[in-house]
Amino acid sequence: MKRLLGYCFVFVLIIGFSLETEVDARGFGWGYKKGSAGEIPEIGSYGDLLQEYGAYFADSSGGKHIYLTFDNGYEEGYTPQILDVLKKENVPATFFVTGHYVETAPDLVKRMVDEGHIIGNHSYHHPDFSILTKDAMRQELEDLEKKVSEVSDQKDLKYLRPPRGIFNEQTLEWANELGYIHIFWSLAFKDWETSNQKGWRYAYEEVMEKIHPGAIVLLHTVSKDNAEALAVLITDLKEEGYQFKSLDDLILRDQIPEVIYGY
């Protein structure tokens, strides 16, 4: 059952390699067109929506910053290794969790918070927000937030990654009204098939080939490849001059004047 739930969670995730992937009349799957080497992908008309509602998919400042984010729908045994690497390398990350994950891996959620990482809201049951009412969407977010507060010291969640990457203008607006900032991504690859892992070098090369300044990287902790590649990735990216930042850094730098923030 755990594996089935996990596949349902990851199989429907839309990485997106077209500018606008229509899911149905009400929702769109997050998508982008890969840019030239080292450049932020193109997102077409999505850009106007993200700007209007304060959502993010990358850091456009031009700095060599990387934001690691992980989606956690279920636990496959690799998250402790990932946390070990992040701790050793002093790298922050954001973990977008579901209710199922918090219920089945509360100790790991607590460890994430205790070690300075951010917990993001990926909803309680992983539904398509675009077909929910505002009250139903609110309930999904509040239930997850409450569950996280019960197992860790993080009482408030402020970053939202919509289930399956599906969104529309209405869900962006509702998220704002509920106090959330949408976080999409500019770098991802097919890493979630636990029965089709291809070795750590595959994950390493996928990231290194797609990396760009300001990347918000989406990885899944169910991937053995990711867990084994992470230390090398971090080391090599640091050697290339990249700095690993938290989403809080991104939002503060973007929303607070330079003279005040001091970057």
Side-chain angles (χ1 to χ4, degrees):
M1 176 61 71
K2 179 188 75 171
R3 180 66 60 82
L4 177 59
L5 287 171
Y7 282 145
C8 290
F9 165 71
V10 295
F11 179 75
V12 293
L13 174 67
I14 300 173
I15 290 178
F17 294 97
S18 62
L19 289 180
E20 298 182 359
T21 305
E22 185 171 359
V23 176
D24 61 28
R26 289 169 289 186
F28 291 90
W30 174 249
Y32 52 80
K33 180 179 179 181
K34 183 179 178 182
S36 301
E39 295 184 356
I40 296 177
E42 301 173 16
I43 60 171
S45 61
Y46 286 174
D48 293 334
L49 277 176
L50 266 60
Q51 183 174 5
E52 181 175 356
Y53 293 99
Y56 294 84
F57 81 104
D59 174 1
S60 60
S61 69
K64 296 191 75 171
H65 303 143
I66 296 175
Y67 306 87
L68 286 184
T69 70
F70 295 88
D71 281 5
N72 293 64
Y74 71 105
E75 180 55 42
E76 190 70 9
Y78 302 116
T79 304
Q81 180 180 349
I82 288 170
L83 288 169
D84 288 345
V85 172
L86 296 174
K87 183 176 182 179
K88 180 181 178 181
E89 298 295 335
N90 193 29
V91 168
T94 300
F95 293 86
F96 288 93
V97 302
T98 62
H100 173 75
Y101 191 87
V102 183
E103 289 176 356
T104 57
D107 291 344
L108 287 175
V109 174
K110 182 178 186 301
R111 180 181 172 186
M112 292 167 188
V113 174
D114 289 347
E115 294 184 357
H117 303 296
I118 297 170
I119 302 299
N121 202 321
H122 203 37
S123 80
Y124 204 92
H125 298 101
H126 205 255
D128 174 357
F129 284 162
S130 72
I131 61 174
L132 297 185
T133 65
K134 183 179 180 180
D135 285 342
M137 179 176 171
R138 176 191 291 111
Q139 196 67 55
E140 282 287 331
L141 298 178
E142 289 181 351
D143 286 352
L144 193 282
E145 184 170 288
K146 181 176 185 293
K147 196 67 176 181
V148 170
S149 72
E150 291 173 355
V151 302
S152 77
D153 289 334
Q154 185 172 328
K155 305 309 177 185
D156 299 309
L157 307 185
K158 56 187 174 184
Y159 300 119
L160 165 64
R161 176 160 287 157
R164 300 166 56 190
I166 299 175
F167 71 103
N168 59 25
E169 185 168 6
Q170 185 72 85
T171 60
L172 289 170
E173 180 180 351
W174 287 348
N176 281 180
E177 293 174 0
L178 296 171
Y180 278 91
I181 297 172
H182 266 73
I183 302 293
F184 294 98
W185 59 90
S186 63
L187 193 162
F189 61 97
K190 194 173 182 179
D191 62 349
W192 58 83
E193 293 184 342
T194 57
S195 62
N196 189 34
Q197 296 294 287
K198 302 177 181 180
W200 73 268
R201 186 166 291 280
Y202 167 76
Y204 173 87
E205 291 177 350
E206 285 290 318
V207 174
M208 296 300 285
E209 289 175 2
K210 297 179 174 67
I211 200 66
H212 61 83
I216 294 180
V217 181
L218 165 59
L219 299 172
H220 289 86
T221 58
V222 296
S223 168
K224 181 174 184 287
D225 293 350
N226 290 345
E228 294 180 349
L230 189 60
V232 183
L233 274 170
I234 291 173
T235 298
D236 287 358
L237 287 168
K238 284 181 176 179
E239 288 181 354
E240 291 191 7
Y242 283 99
Q243 294 180 316
F244 289 85
K245 300 287 188 177
S246 76
L247 291 179
D248 284 349
D249 291 318
L250 170 59
I251 304 306
L252 284 172
R253 283 191 299 100
D254 190 54
Q255 297 186 0
I256 299 179
E258 180 177 353
V259 66
I260 298 176
Y261 186 66
Y263 55 86

